[in-house]
Amino acid sequence: MQHSRGHRWARLLLALLAALGAWLVSPAAAQTPAAQQSSWFVDLARFQAGAHGKLACAECHPAQEKALSPGQTQLKHPDPADPKYLTNPALRAYDYGQCQRCHRLAWQRYNQGAHAKALKDKVLTKQSRLPAPVCADCHDVHYARARRGRVALGRAQTNTCGACHPAQAATYLKDYHGQAGDKLGWDKAAFCSDCHQAHDCQSLKKPEAAQAACQRCHPQATPRFAQYIVHPASVDLGPADAAKAQRVYLLWALTAVLAVVAVCVVGFFYGHTLLWMLREIQHKLRKH
């Protein structure tokens, strides 16, 4: 009996320690994308089930391969003189130039895009205050599954992009594109990369860029058509876009007012009809 009580107290203590650890870690984790919570530990079973599961570690980590000496069975520590090396974020310590060995076009487009420029200029995201993303911030390189469908990838983009651009993700989900694509799973709807591209991450502030993006799905789109704003709450709006956003908000406000008026009018007539029917029933009951 005492032995079983001891086991129960031990399990309770372990549960309390686990909860305390989760409480200490969660504030930092809640402020970073899922990919940035990665660690130096790799779950081999999950890795082998992922898109890169057939690759040997040394194919992506050649520096570690070179650290091996003849007859050595274990890798050397990356920096034996500094044991604090492993406290550095794993995602920022990797040389992503290795990715171009298999993904040359994606690597070239990334280096031409806004993310690479922001990373070079050490610019933090205005809303989330996170550094510009590298490959593994957007791609879970160890565990991401291959051959996912368009809708699954699009929904993943909403979460991934929304980690650094929460206002844009929120307005996208309220827009027709987000409602049809992310919410209803319509594969013909536009997701983040359909408008902004996947790796070069184009800005659509210029009218010609916005029109070109719209024409991918709407070939007949005119410059006026391209004035439609998907992200009216964006903090990056310029004076011209701010004026257009104000018109969008006014349209939303007018729509809300008209909806309230319609509900009130319909409610009045239905209520009036219901009361009239009750009165007729009352008169018939009195006659009987």
Side-chain angles (χ1 to χ4, degrees), residues 83-95:
K84 294 182 180 180
Y85 181 90
L86 294 180
T87 63
N88 297 326
L91 299 184
R92 297 290 159 176
Y94 183 70
D95 176 15

Side-chain angles (χ1 to χ4, degrees), residues 25-39 89 91-92 125 127-131 136-138 159-166:
V25 171
S26 59
Q31 298 174 4
T32 60
Q36 287 196 340
Q37 299 172 30
S38 177
S39 70
L91 299 184
R92 297 290 159 176
T125 309
Q127 297 179 58
S128 61
R129 308 306 300 169
L130 293 172
D137 287 305
C138 301
N159 294 328
T160 300
C161 300
C164 294
H165 306 284

Side-chain angles (χ1 to χ4, degrees), residues 222-235:
T222 62
R224 184 176 181 83
F225 181 94
Q227 290 182 354
Y228 177 78
I229 297 179
V230 177
H231 308 296
S234 172
V235 296

Side-chain angles (χ1 to χ4, degrees), residues 243-274:
K244 290 189 291 184
Q246 186 176 12
R247 293 197 295 270
V248 172
Y249 279 124
L250 290 175
L251 181 61
W252 284 1
L254 179 60
T255 302
V257 170
L258 292 177
V260 171
V261 170
V263 170
C264 291
V265 170
V266 172
F268 171 78
F269 282 105
Y270 272 101
H272 181 271
T273 303
L274 177 62

Side-chain angles (χ1 to χ4, degrees), residues 114 195-196 200-210 213 236 241:
C195 298
H196 297 281
D200 45 359
C201 299
Q202 299 176 359
S203 170
L204 303 183
K205 295 178 183 178
K206 295 182 179 180
E208 58 272 18
D236 298 325
D241 289 336

Side-chain angles (χ1 to χ4, degrees), residues 4-187:
S4 61
R5 284 184 179 179
H7 276 288
R8 284 200 296 269
W9 280 108
R11 287 196 295 268
L12 179 60
L13 179 60
L14 289 174
L16 289 174
L17 289 175
L20 179 61
W23 179 78
L24 291 173
V25 171
S26 59
Q31 298 174 4
T32 60
Q36 287 196 340
Q37 299 172 30
S38 177
S39 70
W40 292 92
F41 172 77
V42 176
D43 186 331
L44 190 58
R46 289 180 59 199
F47 169 74
Q48 290 178 336
H52 293 152
K54 294 183 179 180
L55 298 177
C57 299
E59 292 187 61
C60 298
H61 302 275
Q64 298 297 326
E65 184 183 39
K66 294 176 183 177
L68 286 171
S69 60
Q72 187 178 358
T73 57
Q74 292 184 346
L75 296 177
K76 287 185 178 180
H77 190 284
D79 187 359
D82 183 12
K84 294 182 180 180
Y85 181 90
L86 294 180
T87 63
N88 297 326
L91 299 184
R92 297 290 159 176
Y94 183 70
D95 176 15
Y96 290 97
Q98 299 294 331
C99 298
Q100 65 180 315
R101 295 173 62 244
C102 298
H103 307 284
R104 183 174 297 276
L105 182 59
W107 174 257
Q108 291 173 350
R109 288 176 174 174
Y110 169 80
N111 281 288
Q112 296 171 357
H115 286 160
K117 185 179 183 302
L119 186 66
K120 181 180 178 181
D121 297 339
K122 299 181 179 180
V123 177
L124 297 179
T125 309
K126 290 184 178 180
Q127 297 179 58
S128 61
R129 308 306 300 169
L130 293 172
V134 292
C135 301
D137 287 305
C138 301
H139 302 280
D140 193 343
V141 292
H142 286 132
Y143 307 129
R145 296 298 183 101
R147 300 181 180 87
R148 286 182 292 173
R150 172 176 167 77
V151 174
L153 286 172
R155 286 169 171 166
Q157 285 178 5
T158 305
N159 294 328
T160 300
C161 300
C164 294
H165 306 284
Q168 285 81 354
T171 49
Y172 166 76
L173 290 174
K174 292 180 180 179
D175 185 79
Y176 167 78
H177 299 88
Q179 292 290 319
D182 194 283
K183 297 295 185 183
L184 298 179
W186 187 42
D187 61 355

